[in-house]
Amino acid sequence: STSQTIDVTGIVADSLVEGTETVTVTLTGITASDPGITIDAANDSDSIDILDGDAATISIAGTTNGDETGPVDGVFTVTQTTTAVSDTVLSYTVGGTATAGAEYTALSASVTIAAGSTSQTINVTGIVADSLVEGTETVTVTLTGITASDPGITIDAANDSDSIDLLDGDVAQVSIAATTDGNESGPVDGAFTVTQTTVAVSDTDLSYTVGGTATAGTDYTALSGTVTVPAGSTSATIDVTGIVADSLVEGTETVTVSLTGITASDPGITIDAANDSDSIDVLDGDAATVSVAGTTDGDESGPVDGVFTVTQTTTAVSDTVVSYTVAGTATAGADYTALSGTVTVPAGSTSATI
């Protein structure tokens, strides 16, 4: 014969991703033969491949949310469906609403699944436990490529990206307080101050109702019913403007504002129920004096009633009730009907008669 085979048998069909391997055979000598037979030195060695039929896919999942309270690190887990004989090195990008370097430590953009392992974690560390009310934010990691691996390993396109939440443990309460009384003299605007106990990243919009003894649109400009504490701020004012400096004597009136709801805000912001309403005074700078004058003499001929006129220098919103005494040489009850001792100048009027 002129040939013989060397069979490589018993090849192990494992599940290990390992790429193509080789078997090399080199002829080293003739231990028995007829004379004149030699080894061809130019062709005394050759190799065959042992092909690997295994493959693996890689996916990523957000497995632990981060939390400012603690703080608690967030975790992504990168999973390979089977082991490999070499490290699998992957690149990734980072997105989401949380800011890398400000709210957590910036990630490296590379992760390695070690040879013989099927997973590796990407830890989101350095989460900043600030006092800023900001609601839940996100970190998103997307696998973008394999920079080193055994053959047969690919990224699972259906599971190449995921997100975790960064939970915010901060809360705030909103209250209202009367800070400046209004005054018709000037006039001087009134003011309420709405206070939030800590700053937030978004505007806090609140609704409110208005009450009190002063009349909106008559005594002052009607209020809008909404107020906004801007993002990054802890307060806003509600100004009571357009106070009417009339000549009407009306005493102190009030404006009451009650917070009724939050229409837009970051999570964790509530109204302080114990301090959700307050009132300011609207002071009246007007004054009036009251005088009396005898305006008609009485006469027994007729007879003709006598008249006193009580005069108030300006109108008032309430009745003005004045007491008086009676004297003189005529005798009450004998010469004329006894007088009552009180007289009322009606609201909106400037005089009354006795």
Side-chain angles (χ1 to χ4, degrees), residues 266-286:
D266 288 309
I269 299 178
T270 57
I271 295 173
D272 179 0
N275 297 283
D276 63 352
S277 183
D278 207 359
S279 298
I280 63 167
D281 291 332
V282 178
L283 306 174
D284 182 47
D286 300 307

Side-chain angles (χ1 to χ4, degrees), residues 212-266:
T213 58
T215 303
T218 300
D219 295 316
Y220 63 93
T221 301
L223 302 178
S224 68
T226 63
V227 61
T228 297
V229 179
S233 178
T234 57
S235 65
T237 58
I238 300 171
D239 295 317
V240 181
T241 62
I243 293 173
V244 178
D246 55 31
S247 60
L248 186 66
V249 179
E250 51 195 335
T252 298
E253 295 180 293
T254 60
V255 178
T256 301
V257 171
S258 300
L259 301 177
T260 54
I262 298 174
T263 56
S265 75
D266 288 309

Side-chain angles (χ1 to χ4, degrees), residues 150-225:
D150 287 311
I153 298 177
T154 57
I155 294 172
D156 178 358
N159 297 283
D160 64 350
S161 183
D162 206 5
S163 298
I164 62 168
D165 291 333
L166 295 190
L167 306 174
D168 182 46
D170 299 306
V171 296
Q173 285 195 314
V174 183
S175 60
I176 190 170
T179 45
T180 305
D181 287 327
N183 197 323
E184 286 189 11
S185 298
V188 175
D189 292 340
F192 293 88
T193 299
V194 178
T195 302
Q196 187 170 283
T197 51
T198 191
V199 294
V201 296
S202 303
D203 292 347
T204 302
D205 297 329
L206 301 112
S207 58
Y208 61 83
T209 57
V210 183
T213 58
T215 303
T218 300
D219 295 316
Y220 63 93
T221 301
L223 302 178
S224 68

Side-chain angles (χ1 to χ4, degrees), residues 48-62:
I48 64 168
D49 291 333
I50 298 181
L51 305 175
D52 183 47
D54 299 306
T57 58
I58 299 174
S59 60
I60 189 169

